[in-house]
Amino acid sequence: MIETRNLTFGYKGQDRKVFVHLDLEIAENSIYGLLGQNGAGKTTLLALMNGLYRPTVDDLGNVGEVLIDGENIAERQISTLEKIYFLPDEFELPEVSLKQYLGMRSGFYRDFSYEMMQNNLREFGISEGVVLNRLSLGQRKKVMISFALATRCKILMMDEPTNGLDIPSKSIFRKMVARCMGEDQTIIISTHLVHDVEGLFDHVVILDDNRCVVNASMADIAEKYTFEYRSLGDVDDNVIYTEPSLQGNATISLNKKCAEETPVNLELFFNAVINKKIK
Amino acid sequence: MTQFNRNRFLRLLKNDFLLNKKKILIILGVITGLVFAIYTLVGFGFVGADSIAGLNTDITKAPESLKKFLAFFTHENVMAVLTAASYASYVWGIASFVIMTRVFANLQDRKQEIDFLTLPATNLEKWSSRVAYVSLISLAGLVAHSLGYAISLLVIYPFNSGFVNESLALYGSSGVLEELGVTGFCKNMYLPMVYISYVGLGMILIWAGTRFRRNAWLYTALWGLGIYCALFVFGALGMGIYIATSGVFDHVSDSGIIFTEIVNSVMRISVVLMGLSFVVGLVLLPRSYKRFCRRQLEMNK
């Protein structure tokens, strides 16, 4: 489990804090969607969870912490680092072949699966002979997504993984994550392209205004709200949020007791949260 | 407690080696080849010079081609080779060290730094692997140096049974220094001090690598140049003042003795400076590790 306790963080030289006293719990065996607008702090939160950044001392002189299975990540214990793989949004790859890269890096991850790596590459249509720094952005993403999943680390964090992927690859990515996810794994996917990963998440965390405004399971959201398309005249007081769309007005309303659950329209839900219609 | 795992350390070393393999192979190839060639020639050269002077070496049993080869090594030629060899090996040694510290450049670039910092290994393992990586140059130089002598020894030995002792003296540079009139501690300790100063230089550059990262070579070169100029100016000034005030040469009319005095003074200063570089390196090395550990904190910028 990942916990942030009383986490405050601000970049050096900036008065504005990215997070102030953030408390968050990420449960095991789930795929989390970390959502937020640009600049909401998604990447910063992932970096803090990786121990790349250190929490800032708050006004009262307290330092928050990020705990991975009870261990403070700031201590960078090897037992903690071994549990985590972080795939950043932007990365550089060295001038080596993929085969060499696997030789260099796979040994660091004790559960690394070559079979999974090969399957993933095959699905993405990438051969092992490619030289990494000559690949396009999308191809690099495909290689690193394949590698990240093949590490089989207990906690896998991906920052904007669908950025740069073509449309068929986004679909492959969703299937791949679902297929490769182990029983004891937690996957955190940070994105602002909600539509790309819809249907993949078990939980969503939404960041806004320097804090976590939603941390809920998809099941809870589906139980609590009804997502449907309605005509303009059909929008009643029960509707919490509405947006015009080609199919009519996309609406969110409170789920009446015993009513049938509807599939969660995550993009709509996200917009409702950002517009403070859902708290 | 900081953990150290040999396998992870070796994996990190392999990682750095593969990422920089072209550079490493060129540097190692050049420095090993150069030092090997120079010291093989020097090894042959002293035997050649010795035989020309009619001293201990008897190469009458040697083949004609070897005799002709050794005849090239007159006393002047040998001294020229040795001087060139010393300068060349210093310059290449320093240049190689500086280039090798470029391994720390990935701590300058945010993307590369994240890639490195998130590798599951302890700070001690990561830092030690880089120390080992930079130290490869010293090792290569030492191996090439020893190999050069060993080769010359093996070729000459059948024709000169007294060569082994001479070679060992030569290996320690004491033979050469004795010819220059250098005596005592400086004569016996010169070569060990050269090695020690290389180790010191390596430690200083490892610190510079963690401190200046991508620009380590530039700042280190500038600092080195600055220190060299300061030492040169103050050294010359100090020596001038010493000579003027002590009257050390007032009663000396033999220019040979004056030369010997100057050489001895220079050697003493060199040995002190080499020892100093080692001490400075020893002080800076733990600081390098501390700074390396603080990288995570500096990411907050």
Side-chain angles (χ1 to χ4, degrees):
Chain A
M1 188 169 72
I2 307 172
E3 282 176 89
T4 69
R5 283 188 193 161
N6 202 24
L7 185 69
T8 298
F9 180 79
Y11 288 98
K12 275 183 188 168
Q14 291 182 14
D15 292 335
R16 179 185 165 271
K17 295 275 187 284
V18 182
F19 299 115
V20 180
H21 306 303
L22 178 72
D23 290 311
L24 180 67
E25 279 189 15
I26 306 274
E28 289 177 337
N29 312 332
S30 302
I31 302 179
Y32 271 77
L34 181 59
L35 313 178
Q37 292 175 295
N38 292 331
K42 303 184 294 292
T43 302
T44 305
L45 183 58
L46 290 183
L48 281 160
M49 286 176 171
N50 271 284
L52 290 168
Y53 294 159
R54 293 218 177 191
T56 311
V57 181
D58 67 14
D59 297 339
L60 301 169
N62 300 317
V63 184
E65 52 190 9
V66 177
L67 304 174
I68 307 283
D69 292 340
E71 287 182 326
N72 191 344
I73 185 66
E75 288 168 14
R76 298 184 67 77
Q77 293 292 320
I78 190 69
S79 53
T80 318
L81 292 177
E82 277 179 338
K83 289 177 187 166
I84 306 171
Y85 186 87
F86 175 46
L87 176 61
D89 178 21
E90 292 179 337
F91 47 82
E92 274 182 25
L93 290 175
E95 191 184 352
V96 294
S97 72
L98 176 53
K99 201 171 179 179
Q100 283 176 314
Y101 187 80
L102 292 177
M104 280 159 58
R105 292 294 173 90
S106 60
F108 285 102
Y109 305 95
R110 64 176 70 168
D111 295 326
F112 189 87
S113 165
Y114 277 95
E115 193 186 342
M116 194 181 279
M117 181 77 199
Q118 282 167 343
N119 287 340
N120 294 347
L121 289 174
R122 204 176 302 122
E123 273 190 66
F124 275 134
I126 305 257
S127 77
E128 260 194 63
V130 292
V131 177
L132 295 179
N133 70 334
R134 292 184 200 153
L135 297 174
S136 68
L137 172 67
Q139 286 173 313
R140 287 178 197 201
K141 275 269 160 109
K142 289 174 188 175
V143 168
M144 292 316 290
I145 287 168
S146 303
F147 185 86
L149 291 166
T151 59
R152 298 200 292 188
C153 284
K154 195 178 172 196
I155 298 163
L156 185 54
M157 300 184 204
M158 299 191 200
D159 191 9
E160 306 283 1
T162 55
N163 246 1
L165 291 187
D166 51 36
I167 294 167
S169 301
K170 286 176 181 175
S171 166
I172 293 171
F173 168 75
R174 287 192 292 267
K175 289 177 197 160
M176 195 180 282
V177 171
R179 177 173 55 77
C180 293
M181 166 123 181
E183 281 181 11
D184 59 344
Q185 264 188 317
T186 301
I187 299 179
I188 304 171
I189 296 172
S190 145
T191 187
H192 65 275
L193 304 168
V194 179
H195 201 64
D196 285 352
V197 280
E198 203 163 10
L200 189 61
F201 303 141
D202 302 321
H203 282 73
V204 284
V205 170
I206 299 177
L207 301 176
D208 193 36
D209 290 340
N210 311 343
R211 61 201 178 93
C212 169
V213 285
V214 171
N215 182 8
S217 71
M218 294 299 276
D220 286 346
I221 295 169
E223 193 183 326
K224 197 169 176 186
Y225 302 103
T226 300
F227 297 82
E228 53 193 353
Y229 292 97
R230 297 186 186 185
S231 60
L232 195 59
D234 201 16
V235 177
D236 54 27
D237 291 346
N238 197 35
V239 172
I240 301 168
Y241 183 73
T242 181
E243 264 182 20
S245 73
L246 288 174
Q247 296 103 310
N249 281 305
T251 64
I252 304 177
S253 51
L254 282 172
N255 202 355
K256 290 169 189 163
K257 281 181 182 173
C258 303
E260 197 176 319
E261 286 182 9
T262 54
V264 176
N265 182 338
L266 194 56
E267 199 166 334
L268 191 68
F269 180 76
F270 174 74
N271 288 338
V273 171
I274 296 301
N275 286 298
K276 321 276 190 247
K277 300 294 181 188
I278 293 176
K279 292 177 183 172
Chain B
M1 196 181 78
T2 308
Q3 292 179 34
F4 190 89
N5 178 292
R6 192 170 57 93
N7 289 337
R8 281 198 298 266
F9 165 78
L10 291 174
R11 266 186 225 121
L12 287 163
L13 202 56
K14 181 183 173 187
N15 187 65
D16 280 339
F17 189 81
L18 284 173
L19 289 179
N20 301 284
K21 63 183 173 193
K22 277 186 193 164
K23 190 163 61 187
I24 294 173
L25 289 175
I26 290 170
I27 293 171
L28 287 185
V30 168
I31 194 156
T32 313
L34 191 81
V35 173
F36 173 73
I38 286 169
Y39 284 96
T40 308
L41 282 176
V42 171
F44 280 132
F46 270 87
V47 178
D50 219 14
S51 67
I52 290 163
L55 299 176
N56 301 323
T57 309
D58 175 16
I59 56 165
T60 50
K61 294 175 203 165
E64 281 303 312
S65 55
L66 185 60
K67 283 182 198 166
K68 279 183 187 169
F69 176 66
L70 293 178
F72 167 74
F73 297 97
T74 60
H75 187 267
E76 289 75 17
N77 285 352
V78 167
M79 292 310 286
V81 168
L82 192 71
T83 309
S86 304
Y87 279 114
S89 53
Y90 289 148
V91 169
W92 271 108
I94 292 166
S96 305
F97 261 136
V98 170
I99 294 167
M100 291 296 268
T101 52
R102 290 274 297 162
V103 71
F104 289 99
N106 72 344
L107 298 177
Q108 187 91 31
D109 181 283
R110 179 61 63 100
K111 295 175 202 165
Q112 292 179 16
E113 188 174 20
I114 288 174
D115 179 57
F116 183 65
L117 288 179
T118 52
L119 274 179
T122 62
N123 283 338
L124 183 64
E125 289 157 359
K126 286 176 183 171
W127 180 79
S128 305
S129 72
R130 299 224 146 160
V131 171
Y133 172 93
V134 176
S135 305
L136 274 176
I137 281 296
S138 311
L139 195 67
L142 188 65
V143 168
H145 188 173
S146 310
L147 206 62
Y149 272 113
I151 296 281
S152 60
L153 197 80
L154 284 171
V155 173
I156 300 297
Y157 183 69
F159 319 110
N160 177 19
S161 56
F163 181 65
V164 176
N165 290 335
E166 289 171 31
S167 285
L168 289 174
L170 182 64
Y171 187 81
S173 296
S174 55
V176 185
L177 297 173
E178 200 167 341
E179 274 199 50
L180 292 169
V182 178
T183 53
F185 179 78
C186 290
K187 185 188 83 171
N188 297 319
M189 288 304 292
Y190 184 74
L191 191 68
M193 289 307 278
V194 167
Y195 284 136
I196 283 172
S197 71
Y198 263 115
V199 174
L201 181 69
M203 292 192 288
I204 292 168
L205 284 168
I206 286 163
W207 171 80
T210 45
R211 173 71 183 80
F212 301 119
R213 295 165 287 160
R214 185 183 292 162
N215 298 318
W217 66 273
L218 177 65
Y219 288 110
T220 313
L222 288 175
W223 271 101
L225 193 66
I227 291 169
Y228 178 80
C229 289
L231 286 174
F232 185 80
V233 170
F234 287 112
L237 197 66
M239 188 165 276
I241 292 169
Y242 172 71
I243 291 169
T245 56
S246 67
V248 65
F249 298 133
D250 287 354
H251 310 292
V252 180
S253 55
D254 187 342
S255 62
I257 296 173
I258 294 174
F259 174 76
T260 305
E261 279 295 324
I262 291 174
V263 168
N264 267 306
S265 301
V266 168
M267 288 306 298
R268 274 195 289 272
I269 292 169
S270 301
V271 168
V272 168
L273 285 180
M274 287 190 282
L276 196 64
S277 76
F278 182 73
V279 173
V280 171
L282 271 184
V283 171
L284 290 179
L285 199 65
R287 286 169 172 268
S288 160
Y289 177 60
K290 276 187 186 170
R291 179 164 279 280
F292 190 82
C293 294
R294 280 180 54 208
R295 291 301 318 146
Q296 183 195 12
L297 196 59
E298 290 177 20
M299 288 276 290
N300 283 13
K301 283 177 187 169

